[in-house]
Amino acid sequence: MGSGGEFGSTERSEARERMPAGASAASRTRARLDLPRPPRRSLLPEYDPEAFGRLSEKIARFLGTGRFLVWMTLTIIAWVVWNIGAPKDLRFDEYPFIFLTLMLSLQASYAAPLILLAQNRQDDRDRVNLEQDRKQNERSIADTEYLTREIAALRMGLGEVATRDWIRSEFEDLIKELEERRTVFPSERPGHRDEGDR
């Protein structure tokens, strides 16, 4: 049997030598399935999505402040006043203010996606916080139900134990019974104690 195994391996090696390179799948090296593929090279620039998200949130926060609105208003007023009141050779954007419109459109076209990206990141954070709150509420409800069952079990156990009120009522009953016996069997000598009975 050993010679048959050697014969099969020599046949395969001879067959590989006879086939041209790349003609067979068996001649290629097999990729390991337990390892991830190496990353492919991309023509696009690589960036850190987390850092880009943080930057977009900072920009969106700034765009939503009064400081941004004041600076934007002052810039537009200065732009319009300069291009109306300055000498003709120093004006860079005549009356219809095409360049100003272009700049505002460019700013809006970048601001809208950045604001949406910041909102999506906030939604993700809110979703995670909501999930954590839900799990915390479930744990609190489970703890409350457990404590309720324990208190009910203690109450049931205390129902069988002598309580202060029950002992007091038993003592009152005994005192009444003793007073009734005294009235039925009065002592023969009022000042006499039963010292001799002991």
Side-chain angles (χ1 to χ4, degrees), residues 106-127:
L106 183 66
Q107 183 265 335
S109 68
Y110 274 99
L114 289 174
I115 291 170
L116 288 174
L117 181 61
Q119 286 177 342
N120 289 341
R121 286 173 55 86
Q122 185 61 43
D123 287 344
D124 292 342
R125 278 195 299 273
D126 290 344
R127 191 176 303 113

Side-chain angles (χ1 to χ4, degrees), residues 11-12 21 30 34 57 69 77 89-90 95 98 103 109-110 136 154 156 160 171-172 180 192-193:
E11 279 183 4
R12 274 186 250 138
R30 295 184 62 185
D34 60 337
E57 285 178 341
L69 290 175
I77 289 172
D89 10 333
L90 296 178
Y95 165 66
I98 302 297
M103 295 304 289
S109 68
Y110 274 99
Q136 181 64 36
L154 286 173
M156 290 173 60
E160 299 168 1
F171 279 143
E172 289 172 358
E180 287 176 5
H192 178 318
R193 294 186 178 185

Side-chain angles (χ1 to χ4, degrees), residues 6 15 17 20 22-23 35 46 54-55 82 91 95 100 103 105 109 141-142 179:
E6 293 171 8
E17 291 172 3
L35 296 176
E46 292 186 20
R54 285 192 302 271
L55 177 67
W82 178 265
R91 293 180 192 170
Y95 165 66
L100 176 64
M103 295 304 289
S105 297
S109 68
I141 289 171
E179 288 176 358

Side-chain angles (χ1 to χ4, degrees), residues 7-34:
F7 179 71
S9 65
T10 50
E11 279 183 4
R12 274 186 250 138
S13 63
E14 289 174 3
R16 277 192 201 143
E17 291 172 3
R18 280 185 262 142
M19 288 187 166
S24 159
S27 64
R28 291 183 293 199
T29 58
R30 295 184 62 185
R32 293 191 52 185
L33 296 177
D34 60 337

Side-chain angles (χ1 to χ4, degrees), residues 192-198:
H192 178 318
R193 294 186 178 185
D194 359 297
E195 293 175 1
D197 293 341
R198 291 184 192 165

Side-chain angles (χ1 to χ4, degrees), residues 132-145:
Q132 289 174 348
D133 289 346
R134 188 184 63 78
K135 287 180 181 177
Q136 181 64 36
N137 288 341
E138 286 177 357
R139 284 193 296 269
S140 297
I141 289 171
D143 290 346
T144 304
E145 289 175 352

